[in-house]
Amino acid sequence: MKKTETPAAQSDHSTDHSADHGADQGGKAGSRDGGAHSEVLLNTGALQHAILNNATFALIATDEKGIIQLFNAGAEHLLGYAAADVVNKLSPHDLHDPEEVIARAATLSEEFATAIKPGFGAMTFKASLGIEDTYELTYIRKDGSRFPAVVSITALMDKPGTIIGYLLIGTNNSARKQAELALASAGAVVKSASLGKSDFLVQLSHELRTPLNVILGFAELMETGVPPLAPTQEQNIAEILVAGRYLLELSNKILDLALIEAGRVTISVEPVSLADVLRECRVMVAPQATARRVHMTFPQFDTPCFVCADRTRLKQVLDNLLLNAIRHNDAGGDVNIECTLDAKTPGTIRVSVKDTGTGLAPERLQQLFQPVIGHGQEAGTEAGVGLGLVIAKQLIEMMGGNIGANSIVGNGSTFWIELETTTAVNLAMPTDGPATIVPPLAANGTPLRTLLYVEDNPANLELVKQLIARRPDLRLLSAPDGVSGIESARVNQPEVILMDINLPGMNGVEAMKILSTLPSTAHIPVIALSANVMPADISRGLKSGFYLYLTKPIKFDLFMEALDKALEHSRTNTQLDSVAGTTPH
């Protein structure tokens, strides 16, 4: 073990050195006077007296066995004991939280791969090896109260280097702990606030969807109704649909942002064919490009190219970049999509979307991926709130990639993403999509099939009524709440039930579960029709027992497909019951 000197011995050397230095520098009176003052200070015991009577620091000195030999005024002040209570009676570990002493022994045993017993030996183990040791622990006062402390332990040695005791210097750590707790609390508050904001955004999205369901639904009914609209009316309806769909898109982005900020978005990274994703994106944005006479050029892939990504989220990001390039481009402009391997970073591919629009000034570039109102309002292009790019940035980074933009005023903009490539090609692509079933036509004399819609919103009910009116094989019943819906289902025995979730009193989930327990209604498929569109809401709804889960605003094609599927399910069950010789009660 390396020998060290006691503090006293070190002080002697320091004093001697000062005296020598003063003699060597005889021409400098200050040095000589300083050495003389230090000697007087030590000889009078003024320094030792000040240390022992300092009320801020607890100084505790022990013998080599750990029995307290010195207990200064600071220790008395902090711990509430008089020196006479502890000197030659207690060990410092008697003043500590015993569980912490046990924990420290276990930690040191693991660190040094040797068995260390709890007690004073655990507190002084490092110091006994000549290692300066400072750690946090809890002191227990004489009255039983506790406070956190920082303690430094040093071994005291005689001149030959034998340990003759230990010196412990402790300070009250309450103020720092309170500050840490305050910071932690502040962080927690910022997080109750963040979650609160996310919940608010989710609720806002839900509230937007309810009126949008009515606006878009009735506008589409009028657009496709008989007799055809006059040209002016057709133009007016088109404007309503454009504005309504913009609001729906905004609602979707608000919901996405809320889910991401709340940590509720799950990313599943797997090998994804870049060519397939771009092909799907091309089909999706083609109508918008045609409407604005924007010519689009997509890359040709001579060999398969796969990236590590979440397929759905990657398509969402690319759709956003392509739509932005179309909307903020000049009418008749070009959009060029390129895929290039990054020479500086092997194994990385960059997908670039370049437009021939007016471009962006440097200060606008800095704001692109922030939720700033008014992106794209310059030069008469469409307005936006920048949420799409904010979401795109977070999604790409969650997939381990990067996103950025370059632009020159008057020379267009280029948005790009970078993703890791992979050689894996064994993709399990879904092939069993929802089947398209041709709606059955009711022959003369064929009984109409009954649909029950449980909905408290008159406008939503009227929309579905007009949709069902286009189906000559169906008749619609309605109920304004869960209780009356259950009774109507029991009495009228509909083939299918449409159920809103947010009903007054008993909600739709509760009503559906009651229907599933009644022998007379358990066989009826119940379709949820709700503005609750979070993935967790849909998953929870399906797990709770709904046959299908549709979201608002209603998409006509999906709505009709869901009805046909549920009606077929109901017809099959009825035939099975007939073969078995049973009928619903």
Side-chain angles (χ1 to χ4, degrees):
M1 181 177 69
K2 182 179 178 180
K3 296 182 180 180
T4 59
E5 296 180 315
T6 63
Q10 292 174 355
S11 296
D12 290 343
H13 283 294
S14 298
T15 303
D16 293 343
H17 178 72
S18 297
D20 292 342
H21 182 75
D24 292 341
Q25 303 293 333
K28 297 182 180 180
S31 297
R32 184 181 296 110
D33 290 345
H37 288 161
S38 297
E39 185 175 357
V40 170
L41 182 64
L42 292 173
N43 288 341
T44 60
L47 182 59
Q48 293 88 331
H49 182 272
I51 293 173
L52 292 176
N53 288 281
N54 188 291
T56 303
F57 300 95
L59 270 67
I60 303 175
T62 74
D63 59 19
E64 72 281 7
K65 296 179 180 179
I67 303 301
I68 295 175
Q69 301 297 308
L70 182 146
F71 200 78
N72 81 332
E76 291 181 324
H77 173 72
L78 292 175
L79 290 162
Y81 290 94
D85 296 331
V86 298
V87 171
N88 289 322
K89 297 178 182 178
L90 299 179
S91 175
H93 76 273
D94 295 322
L95 308 175
H96 300 155
D97 185 325
E99 292 185 1
E100 291 183 355
V101 176
I102 293 172
R104 178 167 175 78
T107 300
L108 290 172
S109 297
E110 182 177 356
E111 181 180 351
F112 288 90
T114 185
I116 301 173
K117 295 181 179 180
F120 187 68
M123 297 180 58
T124 60
F125 183 80
K126 285 189 175 181
S128 70
L129 300 179
I131 302 172
E132 183 179 350
D133 195 12
T134 300
Y135 56 89
E136 297 183 12
L137 50 76
T138 301
Y139 267 130
I140 302 177
R141 297 186 179 94
K142 185 177 182 180
D143 62 7
S145 61
R146 298 165 174 249
F147 68 92
V150 175
V151 178
S152 177
I153 302 181
T154 304
L156 300 176
M157 300 182 181
D158 59 13
K159 294 251 178 148
T162 302
I163 295 177
I164 59 174
Y166 295 90
L167 177 66
L168 293 81
I169 304 175
T171 58
N172 191 331
N173 199 33
S174 297
R176 187 169 71 87
K177 284 293 184 183
Q178 290 173 356
E180 290 176 354
L181 287 173
L183 287 174
S185 298
V189 169
V190 170
K191 186 177 180 181
S192 312
S194 179
L195 290 177
K197 182 184 73 173
S198 298
D199 290 340
F200 168 76
L201 291 176
V202 170
Q203 184 62 28
L204 175 62
S205 176
H206 174 272
E207 295 297 333
L208 284 173
R209 284 175 176 274
T210 300
L212 280 174
N213 181 55
V214 177
I215 295 170
L216 290 174
F218 280 110
E220 290 179 9
L221 279 173
M222 295 172 68
E223 183 184 43
T224 58
V226 178
L229 297 173
T232 301
Q233 293 173 320
E234 188 175 349
Q235 180 62 33
N236 292 343
I237 293 298
E239 292 293 340
I240 293 173
L241 288 172
V242 168
R245 287 165 183 159
Y246 172 78
L247 285 177
L248 178 59
E249 181 184 354
L250 178 58
S251 174
N252 291 335
K253 289 178 179 178
I254 289 173
L255 183 59
D256 266 340
L257 186 61
L259 294 176
I260 292 172
E261 290 189 347
R264 300 175 190 171
V265 170
T266 301
I267 293 293
S268 177
V269 176
E270 59 186 3
V272 174
S273 169
L274 191 55
D276 288 347
V277 172
L278 285 173
R279 190 179 303 113
E280 293 175 11
C281 292
R282 183 174 192 167
V283 172
M284 201 283 293
V285 303
Q288 288 85 348
T290 301
R292 292 187 63 87
R293 296 183 291 109
V294 171
H295 178 258
M296 305 192 75
T297 303
F298 282 79
Q300 298 295 322
F301 292 87
D302 297 328
T303 58
C305 178
F306 295 89
V307 293
C308 297
D310 182 298
R311 182 184 179 88
T312 300
R313 295 300 185 177
L314 174 58
K315 185 174 181 300
Q316 179 181 350
V317 170
L318 289 173
D319 282 343
N320 179 264
L321 297 184
L322 291 170
L323 288 173
N324 282 346
I326 294 169
R327 291 170 179 170
H328 304 319
N329 207 336
D330 296 329
D334 295 315
V335 172
N336 185 36
I337 299 90
E338 295 181 349
C339 296
T340 55
L341 293 174
D342 191 336
K344 296 181 180 178
T345 311
T348 300
I349 193 167
R350 173 176 285 200
V351 182
S352 302
V353 180
K354 180 180 175 64
D355 64 61
T356 55
T358 57
L360 295 168
E363 60 271 16
R364 295 303 301 276
L365 273 176
Q366 296 176 0
Q367 300 174 345
L368 278 179
F369 300 101
Q370 303 296 324
V372 178
I373 298 293
H375 282 333
Q377 287 184 342
E378 63 276 2
T381 57
E382 295 186 15
V385 294
L387 291 182
L389 290 176
V390 175
I391 294 167
K393 182 177 188 296
Q394 298 195 46
L395 290 176
I396 285 294
E397 290 178 351
M398 290 173 71
M399 289 185 274
N402 296 304
I403 188 170
N406 306 308
S407 186
I408 299 175
V409 175
N411 198 31
S413 303
T414 301
F415 286 80
W416 52 264
I417 61 171
E418 291 178 336
L419 291 169
E420 181 183 348
T421 60
T422 178
T423 57
V425 296
N426 54 337
L427 297 179
M429 299 299 294
T431 58
D432 53 344
T436 301
I437 304 174
V438 178
L441 296 177
N444 291 334
T446 302
L448 295 177
R449 307 189 72 182
T450 303
L451 173 68
L452 171 63
Y453 185 24
V454 185
E455 171 66 77
D456 64 315
N457 186 306
N460 288 335
L461 177 59
E462 182 61 29
L463 173 62
V464 171
K465 279 184 179 179
Q466 295 194 31
L467 280 175
I468 299 303
R470 299 184 175 187
R471 291 285 299 261
D473 59 319
L474 297 178
R475 69 166 181 152
L476 182 68
L477 302 177
S478 64
D481 54 60
V483 174
S484 59
I486 293 170
E487 181 61 17
S488 179
R490 190 185 65 80
V491 173
N492 295 294
Q493 290 293 299
E495 277 82 1
V496 176
I497 298 173
L498 285 174
M499 183 76 70
D500 185 32
I501 298 295
N502 297 310
L503 294 169
M506 179 189 300
N507 66 42
V509 176
E510 295 167 338
M512 178 272 299
K513 288 184 176 179
I514 292 175
L515 287 167
S516 68
T517 61
L518 297 176
S520 61
T521 57
H523 65 288
I524 304 174
V526 183
I527 300 176
L529 183 57
S530 175
N532 297 336
V533 297
M534 291 174 59
D537 294 323
I538 298 173
S539 176
R540 189 161 48 243
L542 293 173
K543 288 180 181 178
S544 68
F546 284 108
Y547 177 69
L548 293 171
Y549 193 108
L550 300 179
T551 60
K552 299 174 183 176
I554 296 174
K555 297 178 178 65
F556 289 3
D557 292 343
L558 293 179
F559 178 76
M560 293 302 183
E561 287 177 7
L563 280 186
D564 289 334
K565 186 175 181 180
L567 287 166
E568 178 63 21
H569 176 83
S570 179
R571 184 186 65 81
T572 302
N573 283 353
T574 301
Q575 290 176 345
L576 291 175
D577 288 338
S578 299
V579 172
T582 61
T583 56
H585 299 294

